[in-house]
Amino acid sequence: MPCYSIDGVIPVVHPQAYVHPTAVLIGDVIIEAGAYIGPFAALRADFGQILIQQNANVQDSCTVHGFPDSVTLVEEYGHIGHGAILHGCIIRKNVLVGMNSVILDEAEIGENTIIGANSTVKAKAQIPANVLALGSPAKVVRPLEDKEIAWKRHGTQQYIELTARCLQSMHEVEPLPEQTASRRTYRDFSAEHVIKKNA
């Protein structure tokens, strides 16, 4: 992966985390065990620190940065959807930030909350725990139901499993020139996974 020190500050990646080779880490970035950092994510900690805690995920094309002396924090089981931007904010445990959403400086998202896709959370906004917030600027729409929090946990668990799959089996390869009968498909993996889980 492209990983850069600045002013002698070197990123830290736990051996049980997965960072895609196209993701970029700069400076005071800390990635804890079980975390997943997707393709083309940019985590640039040249002013403040970026901390991605255990079993959180930062998906494809996300941008994470902050103002000087800030800490941009994603707590355990945080789930940051494709294309989201986090800037100097705090994402509490088990939060889902929807695709292409923007969370601005000193905003704090409470535990278990879901921020809907394409939302903008204003600087210094305080979004409480266990709610659904949507819009630009984001506003609390309603409390979340238990089944919605369970749905979110299931999605994050899939990314925790993806971290393990990537560490075990992802390799750069040359593409096959054509489809063949012997080529594995995702259905083959899914069927094997179901058999293992039920064994």
Side-chain angles (χ1 to χ4, degrees):
M1 82 197 77
C3 192
Y4 302 91
S5 70
I6 184 167
D7 302 321
V9 180
I10 300 172
V12 175
V13 178
H14 193 281
Q16 292 176 345
Y18 177 77
V19 179
H20 190 273
T22 62
V24 178
L25 308 182
I26 299 171
D28 196 4
V29 178
I30 301 172
I31 311 294
E32 294 187 353
Y36 173 89
I37 310 298
F40 302 107
L43 287 74
R44 181 163 64 90
D46 45 12
F47 292 133
Q49 185 180 80
I50 295 169
L51 174 56
I52 310 299
Q53 291 189 341
Q54 290 187 32
N55 298 320
N57 64 78
V58 177
Q59 297 173 18
D60 318 46
S61 300
C62 288
T63 301
V64 185
H65 192 239
F67 280 134
D69 301 320
S70 65
V71 176
T72 305
L73 171 63
V74 178
E75 289 190 347
E76 294 179 350
Y77 304 102
H79 192 107
I80 312 303
H82 312 292
I85 299 173
L86 306 182
H87 204 276
C89 56
I90 296 175
I91 308 298
R92 293 296 181 195
K93 185 175 178 180
N94 200 48
V95 163
L96 167 61
V97 175
M99 292 182 277
N100 292 313
S101 290
V102 178
I103 316 296
L104 293 172
D105 297 274
E106 300 181 40
E108 182 172 342
I109 312 301
E111 187 171 333
N112 298 321
T113 281
I114 294 176
I115 304 296
N118 294 306
S119 296
T120 300
V121 176
K122 295 191 300 185
K124 300 185 179 181
Q126 300 288 308
I127 305 293
N130 303 301
V131 300
L132 173 64
L134 304 170
S136 184
K139 295 180 180 177
V140 174
V141 176
R142 59 174 173 79
L144 287 172
E145 299 178 13
D146 289 345
K147 67 180 180 181
E148 293 170 311
I149 295 173
W151 168 82
K152 186 273 168 196
R153 288 184 190 278
H154 175 71
T156 301
Q157 182 60 38
Q158 290 180 310
Y159 268 89
I160 294 168
E161 293 171 8
L162 178 60
T163 298
R165 288 169 52 206
C166 290
L167 289 170
Q168 292 168 7
S169 70
M170 185 179 281
H171 307 285
E172 188 171 2
V173 296
E174 291 295 322
L176 298 172
E178 60 185 27
Q179 174 73 293
T180 64
S182 61
R183 177 184 169 269
R184 281 177 59 88
T185 69
Y186 187 73
R187 288 180 180 169
D188 297 323
F189 166 79
S190 295
E192 292 167 6
H193 188 63
V194 168
I195 291 168
K196 285 180 183 176
K197 283 181 78 173
N198 294 335

